Amino acid sequence: MNTFSGLELRELQLSLPFVRKKRDELLQRCGLASEDADFAVGIFDSDDRMVATASLAGDVIKGVAADESVRSESLSSTLVSAIISYASQTGVSNLKVFTKPEYEDVFRAMAFHPVGRCESAALLEQDGRLLRSYKEYLEMIPRKGRVGCVVMNANPMTLGHCYLIEEASRQVDTLFVIPVADDVSTQFSYAERIAILRDATSAFHNVTVVEGSHYAISRSTFPSYFIKEVSEVTSAHIELDLDIFARHIAPSLGVDVRFVGSEPTDELTAAYNEGMQRILPSQGIEVCVIDRISEAGGDACGGITGNVISASRVRSLLNEGRVGEAFRLVPKSTLPYLLGHAAAWALKGELDLTPKPGLVDRDNSGSHNDMDYDLMTDSIVSLVPAFTMLAALSIGPDMPSASLIKAVGIEGERRMMEATGGVNTHRGALFSLGLAVVASARLLGRGEVLTTAAIQELIKTTAEGFPRPEGTHGALVSARYGVPTALDAARAGYPEAFGIIGEQNRHRMLLRLMSVMDDSNVYHRCGPEVAAEVKAKATETLSLHDCGLDGALREMDADFISRRISPGGAADMLALALFLRSVASDERIE
């Protein structure tokens, strides 16, 4: 709280409807639209009337407004100072500000540097060196003749993106591809997307994938893009983004023509395309619209094109556990990343299943005092690079050796331990899912159909190359009780996991695994008598109708927690089964 000249500065709790309503009414009176924010402040007069406000969304200052009655008070600096102070405390640097063009000089006086402007908005940022540095980087990139440019999200790259790049490259001497650098609302990270783009375009002699920045389709310049929402501020976002492109990026690269794919379905992208065709030619930049592919046929990136090829479709298939249907929609360069994310999707599917007896789920930490849902989620995210690397190595011309697979697994385990603070959350799942990823990628690389039988056979063959580990909990349990180790299960082709793929109810999948598996986790924690009891209880519960499962599982959960029983091996096999069902051509989730 800060009081000055009869006015009071307060932080606004926008989660409270009446507070948000006051702010929104003030913004409306000032001709500004209401937008979501991470932090906001307001200035109130002696009658408790909000007379000025400013907000911060990410690293962008927005909604700086003052009622007509107090504009002579020059409150903007007070509002912005409060935002800057908050940003500094929370580690946000190089603040940017959206404002009306008539207020641009106010922010220049506060050491903000202009980036772009349109009729209704201007964008400025604190550190003017960043834009200069990016432009200098672009200017140094070699180019010749007629220069074209494509800006794309490629989240992930599809055969449609390949087609656009191929067709554009035929029309120019040099083609620059700029990936969207913002990771907000992107399922595939910027690092993944730019790596895929560079791999997929490596065969084109005149195509260069340059580093992206927040100066081209980012949350700073074009926030509407990331929420896929057409609103009253969308036109300003589009015009501002295109002004920055025409003012800074195009001149630095020497761009003569910008290429874009036609957009028959997405309203926002269609509006952006229309904005390009309306604005860029007046700046001396030609716009060329290339029709999206819709008929089956070949393309330069390899693979089969077809109807409705879009990144959103690929993401939907991945999130629905039908990634096998997405393989035909993407170039070979994308396949390892799809497999890596499919493995993470399967692990998340197992984690989200609730209730699970003795296991971490959305409700509780099961029989573990060192794990919880958030920690397990962090662990899953940390494993994606390892799964992707295993797939990338296996999809190539040569099968990776067992020692190389093991080395990638050890690095994946190191990342996992780093993410979890040393807690072993998914070591077993990394091994079993890693082998399944290797097998799947190997089959895809050879152009073979991913059937469950083919995947299982290749898992067996790959596992034969691994030496038996010594000193692990699994090895000690096996030696003491005669139960199979993780390597034994792999060499047998994980029959329990493959045997439950046809079951649609995930709780029944887990119970079937618990009813037949010699779970080394249970043996290690509780011994053979309890292990036999777990099998019997799972078998008994399976006989119940679906309507009775939830209550029975919650009773089992409470019992298992009280006795520290944790069927972690069954959980790993459930994740494996979900992955197999997602990628295999002969299995689909209803």
Side-chain angles (χ1 to χ4, degrees):
M1 181 183 296
N2 190 3
T3 303
F4 53 98
S5 303
L7 302 175
E8 184 180 300
L9 176 70
R10 305 176 197 162
E11 179 180 343
L12 300 182
Q13 302 298 326
L14 295 180
S15 59
L16 301 175
F18 76 94
V19 174
R20 186 179 183 103
K21 182 181 179 182
K22 279 188 176 183
R23 185 199 68 152
D24 292 352
E25 288 174 348
L26 173 58
L27 290 174
Q28 188 176 14
R29 291 199 305 273
C30 297
L32 297 175
S34 172
E35 296 185 69
D36 290 335
D38 304 314
F39 176 77
V41 290
I43 293 177
F44 294 78
D45 64 14
S46 56
D47 295 324
D48 202 37
R49 187 171 65 100
M50 189 186 301
V51 294
T53 185
S55 305
L56 180 67
D59 61 355
V60 181
I61 301 172
K62 297 182 177 182
V64 181
D67 191 82
E68 287 185 0
S69 63
V70 295
R71 284 181 187 169
S72 60
E73 298 280 346
S74 300
L75 301 177
S76 296
S77 60
T78 300
L79 292 165
V80 173
S81 294
I83 297 291
I84 291 174
S85 176
Y86 170 81
S88 176
Q89 295 171 19
T90 54
V92 179
S93 60
N94 188 33
L95 288 177
K96 304 163 191 68
V97 59
F98 270 114
T99 187
K100 288 186 173 183
E102 56 263 36
Y103 301 138
E104 186 174 330
D105 288 343
V106 174
F107 290 96
R108 286 193 184 212
M110 289 186 278
F112 280 81
H113 302 267
V115 175
R117 69 180 62 85
C118 62
E119 184 178 348
S120 59
L123 177 67
L124 301 91
E125 66 179 353
Q126 282 181 306
D127 192 345
R129 296 170 299 176
L130 298 180
L131 179 55
R132 289 196 301 271
S133 177
Y134 185 61
K135 290 167 66 174
E136 289 169 0
Y137 155 71
L138 296 179
E139 289 165 0
M140 291 173 59
I141 302 173
R143 82 290 305 270
K144 64 180 180 179
R146 179 172 162 82
V147 177
C149 179
V150 179
V151 180
M152 58 173 54
N153 200 2
N155 179 37
M157 189 178 193
T158 68
L159 293 176
H161 296 109
C162 284
Y163 178 78
L164 173 60
I165 292 171
E166 177 190 6
E167 290 300 304
S169 70
R170 290 174 176 170
Q171 301 182 38
V172 293
D173 301 295
T174 302
L175 180 68
F176 291 115
V177 178
I178 304 177
V180 172
D182 211 317
D183 276 338
V184 176
S185 301
T186 58
Q187 190 161 349
F188 292 78
S189 70
Y190 169 69
E192 291 175 317
R193 289 182 285 110
I194 195 170
I196 296 170
L197 278 167
R198 285 178 169 158
D199 187 19
T201 59
S202 60
F204 293 95
H205 72 281
N206 66 336
V207 176
T208 299
V209 178
V210 305
E211 292 289 339
S213 73
H214 67 259
Y215 301 110
I217 308 185
S218 71
R219 191 163 70 147
S220 299
T221 64
F222 195 178
S224 297
Y225 179 85
F226 295 91
I227 58 176
K228 290 298 180 185
E229 177 181 291
V230 177
S231 67
E232 57 190 33
V233 299
T234 299
S235 294
H237 293 163
I238 290 173
E239 292 172 8
L240 192 58
D241 182 85
L242 293 173
D243 178 73
I244 295 169
F245 178 81
R247 185 189 300 265
H248 301 293
I249 295 175
S252 299
L253 288 173
V255 173
D256 300 299
V257 54
R258 180 161 169 179
F259 294 94
V260 63
S262 61
E263 184 49 67
T265 58
D266 186 277
E267 183 182 3
L268 181 77
T269 305
Y272 187 62
N273 287 1
E274 186 278 327
M276 269 191 278
Q277 296 173 80
R278 175 171 46 86
I279 294 171
L280 294 186
S282 66
Q283 304 297 317
I285 303 168
E286 180 187 344
V287 176
C288 180
V289 180
I290 296 176
D291 289 335
R292 292 172 58 183
I293 51 176
S294 58
E295 299 292 332
D299 79 289
C301 291
I304 299 175
T305 60
N307 296 325
V308 194
I309 295 182
S310 68
S312 59
R313 173 64 175 156
V314 172
R315 294 194 305 273
S316 293
L317 290 171
L318 171 61
N319 295 332
E320 293 167 7
R322 298 159 58 196
V323 72
E325 297 176 38
F327 292 149
R328 62 184 177 83
L329 305 179
V330 301
K332 188 175 181 179
S333 301
T334 302
L335 291 175
Y337 296 85
L338 268 185
L339 287 169
H341 280 263
W345 171 86
L347 287 171
K348 191 63 162 50
E350 181 278 318
L351 175 62
D352 284 345
L353 185 65
T354 304
K356 294 195 303 288
L359 298 166
V360 178
D361 56 27
R362 287 187 174 276
D363 281 353
N364 57 55
S365 295
S367 300
H368 302 272
N369 55 18
D370 58 351
M371 303 180 195
D372 59 23
Y373 183 88
D374 291 339
L375 186 76
M376 297 289 280
T377 300
D378 291 342
S379 173
I380 292 169
V381 172
S382 75
L383 291 175
V384 173
F387 290 131
T388 301
M389 178 59 71
L390 288 172
L393 291 170
S394 305
I395 209 167
D398 301 313
M399 179 67 178
S401 65
S403 60
L404 182 55
I405 294 173
K406 182 178 179 181
V408 174
I410 290 173
E411 173 60 17
E413 184 178 312
R414 185 195 68 78
R415 286 172 177 256
M416 176 193 74
M417 291 293 196
E418 187 177 84
T420 63
V423 179
N424 171 23
T425 45
H426 288 106
R427 182 180 290 151
L430 174 59
F431 180 67
S432 55
L433 270 172
L435 288 177
V437 166
V438 166
S440 300
R442 191 75 192 131
L443 292 168
L444 286 172
R446 297 195 308 220
E448 299 181 24
V449 177
L450 263 69
T451 63
T452 50
I455 295 172
Q456 185 175 39
E457 191 58 36
L458 198 47
I459 287 175
K460 292 179 183 178
T461 303
T462 305
E464 288 295 335
F466 283 81
R468 288 194 174 277
E470 297 180 359
T472 65
H473 285 157
L476 295 174
V477 167
S478 178
R480 183 173 182 181
Y481 299 115
V483 299
T485 64
L487 183 59
D488 291 329
R491 288 177 174 177
Y494 298 118
E496 295 89 355
F498 279 86
I500 62 165
I501 297 176
E503 172 64 66
Q504 297 303 314
N505 185 305
R506 293 185 182 184
H507 277 121
R508 290 193 179 278
M509 292 173 73
L510 178 62
L511 286 167
R512 290 192 189 284
L513 289 166
M514 291 168 58
S515 71
V516 297
M517 283 183 62
D518 290 315
D519 196 319
S520 62
N521 286 346
V522 178
Y523 273 88
H524 172 67
R525 279 174 167 250
C526 306
E529 293 80 10
V530 172
E533 184 183 340
V534 167
K535 286 184 177 182
K537 185 62 178 178
T539 301
E540 176 188 336
T541 307
L542 275 169
S543 66
L544 300 175
H545 292 294
D546 286 351
C547 60
L549 276 184
D550 186 79
L553 286 166
R554 292 187 185 280
E555 289 181 8
M556 286 178 67
D557 190 29
D559 178 44
F560 281 21
I561 290 173
S562 69
R563 294 193 286 162
R564 297 188 69 252
I565 302 171
S566 176
D572 292 345
M573 289 301 99
L574 174 59
L576 175 59
L578 293 176
F579 173 81
L580 295 168
R581 197 159 69 183
S582 174
V583 303
S585 62
D586 54 346
E587 297 292 344
R588 290 290 177 262
I589 295 178
E590 298 298 330

